[in-house]
Amino acid sequence: MSKQEPVRIIVMGVSGSGKSTLASALAQALTLPFIEGDDLHPQSNIAKMQAGQPLNDADRLPWLQAIAAALSNGTEGAVASCSALKKSYRDLLREQTGEPLYFICLTCDPNTIAARMQARHGHFMPASLFTSQLASFEIPQGEPVTLLLSCDQPVNTMLATCKTWLEDQAGLSTITNAMPLPES
């Protein structure tokens, strides 16, 4: 794969897993645009979550389509944050963005994530919805070009793991060669 072919990456996981933090850092390291998936939610979804109501598949569809469209724009690709909780959501994203679409799935002990959500302020996703996210979450084991990564590590450690994994993917060393190694 040459640098001219788009590189599309989604950092996924439940709310509070650190998707936005890692996706932003990875985008910066790869000099790719960062897409904050939360910014693409329709106002109706935000209002529903603020009211403590979990989103259903119909609510998520326009949001997933907006993320796929954002990932498809541009010639270099992008790194997006998106919960992508279900396999059907990931399949839709793959179908609408084209393959390969690389997924980095952040997993962590639910108690750690719950504590993070309790400490987080100013986000429309209340901690009370964490249980519904866990209930919907389908871990993408065995899915194509998907890395499972524990979110209880420092960001620099996760970046180093992502770099190694991306280099192992067909031809992606051309984009990761320019990626600086994190300091220990």
Side-chain angles (χ1 to χ4, degrees), residues 41-42 44-45 48-49 53-64 83 85-86 88-89 129 132-133 136:
H41 270 294
S44 58
N45 284 5
K48 192 170 182 178
M49 287 183 280
Q53 299 172 1
L55 301 180
N56 60 38
D57 292 350
D59 296 325
R60 287 190 178 103
L61 181 60
W63 173 64
L64 293 166
S83 57
L85 295 173
K86 296 182 179 181
S88 61
Y89 301 165
L129 290 180
S132 70
Q133 282 219 326
S136 296

Side-chain angles (χ1 to χ4, degrees), residues 105-132:
C105 177
L106 296 179
T107 62
C108 197
D109 173 64
N111 293 327
T112 300
I113 296 175
R116 286 181 182 180
M117 289 189 70
Q118 289 292 340
R120 183 168 70 176
H121 301 287
H123 194 278
F124 58 79
M125 174 76 167
S128 62
L129 290 180
F130 177 61
T131 306
S132 70

Side-chain angles (χ1 to χ4, degrees), residues 12 90 103-107 137-143 145-151 153 161 165:
M12 60 165 286
R90 295 184 294 273
F103 283 93
I104 298 169
C105 177
L106 296 179
T107 62
F137 187 44
E138 298 170 359
I139 295 177
Q141 292 193 303
E143 291 182 31
V145 289
T146 301
L147 171 68
L148 297 178
L149 184 62
S150 176
C151 71
Q153 307 170 67
T161 301
W165 178 72

Side-chain angles (χ1 to χ4, degrees), residues 8 24 27 33-34 72 74 81 86 88 102 143 156 162 169 179:
R8 297 178 182 110
S24 175
F34 167 60
S72 296
S81 61
K86 296 182 179 181
S88 61
Y102 301 89
E143 291 182 31
N156 284 343
C162 290
Q169 303 307 304
M179 184 176 170

